[in-house]
Amino acid sequence: MRAAGALRAAIWGLLLPLVSAQEGILHVFKNSDTQLTKEYCIYYNRNWSTLPSTLNNIVYTKLAFLTPKLLCSQSDVPQADIIKDKAIVVMRGNCTFLEKAEIAQHFHAKMLLIASETPIHIPFGNKNQSINIPIALIRNEDIIDLKQTLGKNVSVALYSPPVPDYFYSVVLIFLIAVLCVILGGYWSGMVELEKLKSAPNSESSTSLSSVENVTLTPVTAVLFVCISCVMLVLMYYFYKWLVYVVISLFCVASATSLFNCLSVLVEKIPYGQCRFPCWHQCIKVRLFFLALFCIAASVTWAVFRNEDSWAWILQDILGIAFCVNLIKTLKVPNFKSCVLLLGLLLLYDVFFVFITPFITKNGESIMVEVATGPSENSEKSDGNLVEASAERSAPHENLPVVIKVPKLIFSGTMLCQMPFSLLGYGDIVLPGLLVAYCHRFDIQTRSSRVYFISCTIAYAVGMLVTFLSLSLMKMAQPALLYLVPCTLLSSTLVALYRKEMKKFWNGNNYQAMDFAASEENPTRASEQHGGQ
């Protein structure tokens, strides 16, 4: 019963909204053309005023711009009739929000918007009961955008859609991550199985093992982590140039990965096997058209990557293929290399998420800053969005290194913070390498996939704990902080229980002849393993 209760709590934490701030929406339309509308994020205090949940039967108020005035004294109002019965926007200054509201209400304003050049948050203070106009904080960048897109002759209204009880996007990301790990780990094990079976006949080849694996030794693991550190720091300081390099590399890598994944399925189709000569070789027509399809998918994403309404679907398809292919291609030879690689990357993840805010000038987390993509109109809020300096910002460009799913349910939270739930490829691929090693070890030791299944379950549990921590702490979390201990611990416990820790630690590299012999005489092979 306790286990069931803990599982229900973990699932509920997975579904809970990641933030619970008091966000609202400023709805604006142009008076000369009511079809031209736009919405902006605002923060308000529910204890000060109550906003309607929808725009139905809402009363609009004409907006008066007093910026750059602060409204800290009555002298900031040139004429009383300028703001009478209007919504006004002023700059944030040294005086309190309530002092501004008293002056605004004294001149019969209907609404007070306070434009802030610093990160916005919930207004606070002991409100005087005599103040009854709505007070909201808004980004100054949004006010500038409002003037540029709709002009100054506009009317506005405030409302706050209810925060959904849960976000389906988090569930979908969880399923995608677990699916990638399962497919990549299973594929890696099948390649190992075919390699062991076909090794006595070196001329034979199969579709599954048509691509050579890249082995990550302890030395290459350390080198990989060092390069990752350097690249992340370079991305932080030179984002607006390097982001296009990463986008280009992703297009090439994702197209190749999609081809590798789909070609395994296409090869099983018994039709369309005709060939044509090309560069002294014969190429299958169906693989040629498959390559064109994969290139077209990658190019289409590159052209329309900023179309938030649908481009995320294509990015996720390419990302899934990239993660699955990388888990299959990168081969960790033993558990010792897995511990070293994942341990170093755990420290890397924790350092760049939790430690770098104490080092950077503006208190920014380098990992969150790079992963979410700086933009000129975004500000930092609980680790979800980032305020980018003009020197580093590449507007509207994000690194294609994440699985992204829109939160699907519109709310102030979605508009004010991140419209997407994100999970980095590294949080899928890196634990996936351990899952793949476990499956290969299962194949080598004929252990009925016990390592593979247990490590996959541990990954799913670690992902649940990650989302639960994200929900409770309401700040960015290094997923490897939870995924690495879960997967390493489960694999270690299975190896200790089966008394195979030494083999599991050093890697059990059977010769193909021995494996072939065990295939011919499984009874004798099982007796030998039992004797060991």
Side-chain angles (χ1 to χ4, degrees), residues 23-29 37-44 51 55 58 60-61 63 65 87-89 111-114 136-139 142-143 146 150 154-161 410 412 415-416:
E23 300 97 346
I25 297 172
L26 174 69
H27 185 81
V28 189
F29 70 83
T37 65
K38 205 160 185 181
E39 293 187 327
Y40 299 96
C41 161
I42 59 100
Y43 276 73
Y44 73 103
L51 300 184
L55 288 173
I58 201 167
Y60 289 90
T61 307
L63 181 63
F65 294 87
I88 64 171
V89 56
M111 181 191 307
L112 175 63
L113 299 176
I114 303 171
L137 273 173
I138 186 170
R139 299 182 181 96
D142 290 341
I143 295 298
L146 190 160
L150 299 180
V154 296
S155 293
V156 299
L158 296 177
Y159 75 109
S160 180
F410 183 74
L415 183 64
C416 289

Side-chain angles (χ1 to χ4, degrees), residues 188 192 214-221 330-343 430-442 444 451 455 488 491-492 495 500-510:
S188 180
E192 182 73 9
V214 177
T215 302
L216 288 175
T217 63
V219 175
T220 55
L330 295 179
K331 181 178 179 180
V332 184
N334 48 49
F335 188 56
K336 174 173 60 178
S337 297
C338 289
V339 172
L340 178 62
L341 176 64
L342 293 179
L430 298 172
L433 297 179
L434 174 57
V435 175
Y437 170 69
C438 288
H439 194 201
R440 291 195 303 272
F441 188 81
D442 282 327
Q444 293 169 350
Y451 286 93
C455 195
L488 290 181
S491 302
T492 301
E500 294 176 336
M501 190 62 205
K502 184 175 181 180
K503 289 181 180 178
F504 190 63
W505 179 261
N506 295 314
N508 192 15
N509 297 317
Y510 282 96

Side-chain angles (χ1 to χ4, degrees), residues 489-530:
L489 182 60
S490 68
S491 302
T492 301
L493 292 177
V494 172
L496 291 174
Y497 177 77
R498 294 174 59 85
K499 299 180 180 179
E500 294 176 336
M501 190 62 205
K502 184 175 181 180
K503 289 181 180 178
F504 190 63
W505 179 261
N506 295 314
N508 192 15
N509 297 317
Y510 282 96
Q511 296 295 324
M513 291 296 293
D514 294 338
F515 184 85
S518 67
E519 287 287 303
E520 295 175 0
N521 192 354
T523 303
R524 181 180 175 185
S526 61
E527 291 176 354
Q528 290 177 349
H529 287 300

Side-chain angles (χ1 to χ4, degrees), residues 347-358:
L347 296 176
Y348 157 87
D349 216 11
V350 171
F351 175 80
F352 282 104
V353 172
F354 288 146
I355 307 301
T356 53
F358 298 101

Side-chain angles (χ1 to χ4, degrees), residues 17-35:
L18 303 184
V19 288
S20 59
Q22 298 176 51
E23 300 97 346
I25 297 172
L26 174 69
H27 185 81
V28 189
F29 70 83
K30 191 171 183 178
N31 292 328
S32 59
D33 186 357
T34 56
Q35 298 300 316

Side-chain angles (χ1 to χ4, degrees), residues 303-312:
V303 173
F304 299 101
R305 61 186 180 275
N306 294 319
E307 294 290 336
D308 287 341
S309 59
W310 61 270
W312 64 271

Side-chain angles (χ1 to χ4, degrees), residues 266-284:
V266 171
E267 286 289 354
K268 295 183 180 298
I269 301 175
Y271 306 103
Q273 300 186 23
C274 54
R275 300 169 180 264
F276 67 92
C278 181
W279 291 307
H280 308 291
Q281 294 182 350
C282 289
I283 299 177
K284 293 182 180 180

Side-chain angles (χ1 to χ4, degrees), residues 247-307:
I247 289 173
S248 302
L249 293 176
F250 175 74
C251 289
V252 176
S254 62
T256 304
S257 299
L258 187 62
F259 177 83
N260 290 339
C261 293
L262 295 181
S263 63
V264 175
L265 302 177
V266 171
E267 286 289 354
K268 295 183 180 298
I269 301 175
Y271 306 103
Q273 300 186 23
C274 54
R275 300 169 180 264
F276 67 92
C278 181
W279 291 307
H280 308 291
Q281 294 182 350
C282 289
I283 299 177
K284 293 182 180 180
V285 174
R286 60 184 181 181
L287 292 183
F288 175 76
F289 284 106
L290 176 62
L292 292 181
F293 169 77
C294 296
I295 294 173
S298 180
V299 171
T300 301
W301 172 83
V303 173
F304 299 101
R305 61 186 180 275
N306 294 319
E307 294 290 336

